[in-house]
Amino acid sequence: MNHIEEPVTALADKIEAIELSVVVPVFNEEDSVGPLVTRIRDALAGFSQPWELILVDDGSTDGTLANARAELFRPDLRLKIIELQKNFGQTAAMQAGIDAASGRLIATLDGDLQNDPNDIPRMVAAIEERQLDLLVGWRQNRRDGLLLRKIPSWCANRLIGKITGVRLHDYGCSLKVYRASIIKQVKLMGEMHRFIPAWVAGVVPSSRIGEMPVTHHARHFGTSKYGLSRTFRVILDLLAVLFFMRYKARPGHFFGSIGLATGGLSALILFYLAIDKFILGNDIGTRPMLVVGVMLFLSSVQLITTGILSEMMARAYFRDDETTSYIVRQVFDKGGPHA
């Protein structure tokens, strides 16, 4: 009897294995969350394999969580709701959803109804057909303001592509499909969701990252969480991306290279002044070049010391990297709330 039950159980587990997890971070989207769930359900109604929807409530202060919980008992929907303890930001919310996802593939999209869930089945088929690890949506006909959204986004996409080497038309589109085994190797923090293709390029070749045109709708409910100030944050974040892509495992090389260059320049200046003082007999005590040479020497020492400390911290980071950028308050599913 046992010999019969074990294969049957294994077969049932295989059948129930989730192929696709759809992760949606939401923050103060009380009017959007109900229609969003309906659109995702309708878009995946013809999906032939098991899938799940994961909503991550990023500390909403309106009725978003209550409206999401009202969708829990739809009989044709496998829904999980993760309530974060406070507003940690879109990147942390996305990381929480990815961590909770069970699917072999993971799709992410925004909760404001601007992304179209009908694109998800096409993207799932395309990522398999093109043998990619990440497929990024490209909003060719973007329904946003020209001055405050489109132009800054165009400039940012060109700059990001040039610096990171991952050439895409639209880094900012949240509609993406990943292989779970790949995206779970990437730890998202800060506001890194803008640069996910660049981070993924750190663990797979850029040839495994692609894009495809997707539909983009105008916002119907609520207000945008982003403004023109995001452009300046993108520049700062881009510098951090560049550092982590090239020097994450060897930060001492970054600081040390600058320190050695600064120290070399300081040595040349001080050597010249030494000749001027001890051979030519000129007074150098009041010369600005002396101050510059000494300051460059001190800066060199500081940079090299910073590089050594960074190397020590990097080794500690890679040895113990279990911290998360979010705190979960409760998880809701058909079985009710639980930790």
Side-chain angles (χ1 to χ4, degrees):
M1 185 68 177
N2 290 337
H3 293 290
I4 297 175
E5 287 180 352
E6 289 177 4
V8 170
T9 303
L11 180 60
D13 290 342
K14 184 176 181 181
I15 292 174
E16 284 301 311
I18 295 174
E19 174 69 7
L20 174 67
S21 297
V22 181
V23 174
V24 188
V26 289
F27 174 63
N28 288 349
E29 299 285 0
E30 61 180 355
D31 295 321
S32 301
V33 68
L36 172 71
V37 172
T38 298
R39 291 187 187 183
I40 293 174
R41 183 202 61 189
D42 293 345
L44 294 174
F47 194 68
S48 60
Q49 300 187 59
W51 63 277
E52 66 177 354
L53 172 59
I54 300 175
L55 298 178
V56 184
D57 177 46
D58 188 23
S60 297
T61 56
D62 60 2
T64 298
L65 179 61
N67 290 351
R69 291 184 63 183
E71 307 293 328
L72 273 173
F73 297 100
R74 292 194 184 198
D76 54 348
L77 181 66
R78 189 193 304 251
L79 173 62
K80 180 187 294 182
I81 302 169
I82 300 173
E83 180 192 5
L84 300 188
Q85 192 162 291
K86 70 179 190 68
N87 178 238
F88 289 95
Q90 184 175 354
T91 302
M94 192 175 293
Q95 180 69 72
I98 290 171
D99 289 344
S102 304
R104 186 180 66 87
L105 299 174
I106 298 176
T108 60
L109 68 158
D110 279 336
D112 55 12
L113 300 179
Q114 290 194 270
N115 297 136
D116 194 332
N118 288 302
D119 289 316
I120 296 176
R122 295 192 302 110
M123 295 182 73
V124 169
I127 197 174
E128 299 287 21
E129 180 182 346
R130 295 163 61 180
Q131 297 184 345
L132 301 174
D133 291 319
L134 167 60
L135 184 60
V136 181
W138 172 16
R139 298 165 293 183
Q140 282 185 315
N141 299 310
R142 186 171 177 178
R143 305 297 182 182
D144 284 320
L146 177 65
L147 183 62
L148 296 181
R149 299 298 296 275
K150 288 185 179 180
I151 293 178
S153 179
W154 182 84
C155 295
N157 289 325
R158 292 291 298 271
L159 183 62
I160 294 168
K162 188 172 184 61
I163 290 180
T164 64
V166 183
R167 304 287 183 171
L168 298 173
H169 290 89
D170 191 356
Y171 263 81
C173 182
S174 294
L175 182 54
K176 299 179 176 72
V177 176
Y178 318 79
R179 294 193 189 275
S181 59
I182 298 300
I183 190 58
K184 291 195 177 191
Q185 296 178 39
V186 180
K187 186 174 182 180
L188 304 179
M189 300 182 70
E191 296 190 14
M192 286 168 47
H193 64 277
R194 302 183 188 123
F195 304 102
I196 285 177
W199 297 112
V200 171
V203 296
V204 299
S206 57
S207 59
R208 301 277 301 183
I209 300 172
E211 64 180 348
M212 67 177 290
V214 296
T215 305
H216 191 244
H217 300 288
R219 174 183 274 274
H220 295 289
F221 304 105
T223 58
S224 173
K225 312 300 187 298
Y226 302 109
L228 190 60
S229 62
R230 181 176 67 163
T231 304
F232 303 103
R233 296 200 300 272
V234 166
I235 296 173
L236 295 176
D237 290 340
L238 185 55
L239 294 175
V241 169
L242 180 62
F243 176 83
F244 274 92
M245 286 184 69
R246 297 186 181 179
Y247 300 103
K248 178 181 179 181
R250 48 189 179 92
H253 289 199
F254 174 78
F255 293 105
S257 298
I258 301 175
L260 289 176
T262 305
L265 183 58
S266 169
L268 289 175
I269 292 174
L270 294 178
F271 180 71
Y272 167 77
L273 292 176
I275 293 176
D276 201 23
K277 170 68 175 177
F278 297 111
I279 297 179
L280 301 180
N282 295 323
D283 184 19
I284 64 171
T286 58
R287 295 178 65 173
M289 188 176 289
L290 177 62
V291 178
V292 172
V294 172
M295 292 300 295
L296 286 173
F297 173 76
L298 294 175
S299 297
S300 174
V301 172
Q302 282 190 317
L303 285 166
I304 293 173
T305 303
T306 300
I308 294 171
L309 293 174
S310 298
E311 288 283 344
M312 295 172 64
M313 293 175 66
R315 279 152 178 72
Y317 172 83
F318 284 111
R319 185 169 59 248
D320 183 17
D321 187 22
E322 299 299 326
T323 57
T324 61
S325 56
Y326 60 88
I327 302 172
V328 175
R329 182 185 298 277
Q330 289 186 102
V331 176
F332 302 91
D333 53 25
K334 284 183 167 59
H338 53 86

